Each structure stands twice: as C-alpha cells, then as structure tokens.
Amino acid sequence: MSHDTSLQHRVTAELIWDPAVTSSEIGVTARDGVVALSGQVGTYDEKIAAEAAACRVRGVRALVQEIEVVVPYARKRSDEDIAATAIARLAWNVAVPPDRVMVKVSKGTVILTGDVDHRFQSEVAERELRQLSGVVAVNNRIVLKPQVDVEAVSDSISEALDRSWLFDPKTVTVKADGGTVYLGGTVRTMQERREAMGAAWASPGTTAVENRISVV
C-alpha cells in the first residue's frame, strides 16, 4: 500500500470514528501529505469537525477544505432569523463582552466584526454561532484590542511559563513588540509548544503571536 493510500485510509477512518462527523458524503484524497476533503455536510459545525479530525491524523502536512454545507430544508432559516438568534446567543454567553461584537448575515454566512480584549473571546463567539441552524459559514473579522499596558506582556508570559511544570524557562524566550509576542527557543514536545502558544495568547495585550519554538 502506498503512503498516499495509507494516509487516505487513516483520514477516512478518523472521520468515521469522530461522532461529530455524521455525513457519509465526505470524500478524501491524499497526495504527498496534502489531504483534500470534498462532498457535502448539513451543518457548518460538522464541516469544522471534519477539518479538525483530518488534521489530527499523523502524516497530514496540509489540508484542502472543499466541503460544501448544504442545509436540509427542515433546518433552513432566513438571514433575519439567524441574525436575531445570533445576537441572543452572544448576549447570553458571559465570555463575550457585551456590545463589542457585531453580527451581519448574508445568505447563511455570519460575519462577525468588532473588537475584544482576548483571543479566546473571539473564538467563543465564533464557536457559539457556527452551531446555529441555517448557518453555512462564519467569517470571523473580530480584532483584538491592545491593552494600554502592553509593555507588561512579555513579563506576564515569562511568569506563566515559569509557573508551569512543562517548561524550563532557560529554553524558552519571550519578546514583545507592542501587542505582538515572539516566542523562541526549544521544548520537548508539540504539546509544550502549544502550551507556550496558549500562555502567550492568554496574556492581556497580546494581538498576535509569532511562535518560533522548535521541538527537539
């Protein structure tokens, strides 16, 4: 069995295994580590779940996402209904700051604009709305608003890394230029690299992260 065929089979198996992916109309192709997903699903959330499942498979170097969301007739909603529900859902979610995120809907595509203080707030807003009936896509244009005290970003990240048992502070470097954080150095695993990324994004004032940490 060729490497491409093996990778195709592993991605297909992962899609079948994932309970969030229920469609039997997803096609998978693989070539030199590049996996393409095609076909149709009934919800945008399932499209995202299929993408996440494929990315979990060892050997996937890049992903081409060609899945189309075709909403079943029973789940179709007007743009007005989607917008009204979206506004209500965001208002009920305590993680989303009130009156900071605006919603626009066009042919089932939700467009989010506005500004928030932390990246997780933007992610929560997107996650909340991609599960709504009738939504075919979520275009997240929310920007991160830098805090006034951006000079403290580097210190707060260094302290967070130093508190974690995962890190040797001597091997991870942190620099900040305005709201952009630059991570360098080395860690032992990809999990440690992700933890460093998370610590950087969790710091108030972070608007972008350049992760240059190497796994050795």
Side-chain angles (χ1 to χ4, degrees), residues 24-89:
S24 60
E25 300 183 20
I26 298 178
V28 180
T29 61
R31 182 176 181 180
D32 297 329
V34 179
V35 170
L37 302 179
S38 60
Q40 296 180 348
V41 294
T43 68
Y44 180 65
D45 201 42
E46 184 173 2
K47 177 179 179 177
I48 297 301
E51 179 178 326
C55 289
R56 289 196 298 266
V57 177
R58 185 178 65 254
V60 175
R61 301 171 56 192
L63 184 70
V64 178
Q65 174 61 283
E66 298 177 338
I67 294 176
E68 182 183 6
V69 179
V70 179
V71 180
Y73 180 79
R75 291 185 176 178
K76 285 186 178 296
R77 301 289 185 273
S78 68
D79 288 346
E80 291 78 8
D81 287 343
I82 294 173
T85 303
I87 292 170
R89 290 286 287 267

Side-chain angles (χ1 to χ4, degrees), residues 95-97 100 116-126 142:
V96 181
R100 299 275 296 277
V116 294
D117 299 317
H118 299 276
R119 187 190 188 194
F120 85 90
Q121 295 170 324
S122 171
E123 293 173 340
V124 166
E126 178 178 341
I142 298 172

Side-chain angles (χ1 to χ4, degrees), residues 87-167:
I87 292 170
R89 290 286 287 267
L90 293 180
W92 276 93
N93 196 313
V94 296
V96 181
D99 303 321
R100 299 275 296 277
V101 177
M102 278 63 73
V103 177
K104 178 182 178 182
V105 184
S106 176
K107 297 181 180 179
T109 297
V110 177
I111 302 169
L112 298 177
T113 57
D115 61 75
V116 294
D117 299 317
H118 299 276
R119 187 190 188 194
F120 85 90
Q121 295 170 324
S122 171
E123 293 173 340
V124 166
E126 178 178 341
R127 235 179 2 251
E128 185 78 35
L129 302 189
R130 75 188 190 200
Q131 299 175 350
L132 298 183
S133 292
V135 171
V136 300
V138 177
N139 187 346
N140 191 345
R141 299 178 185 174
I142 298 172
V143 298
L144 298 180
K145 184 178 180 180
Q147 301 293 313
V148 175
D149 190 13
V150 295
E151 296 180 358
V153 173
S154 181
D155 289 341
S156 64
I157 295 172
S158 296
E159 291 171 3
L161 296 182
D162 192 38
R163 287 193 300 269
S164 174
W165 66 271
L166 285 173
F167 297 98

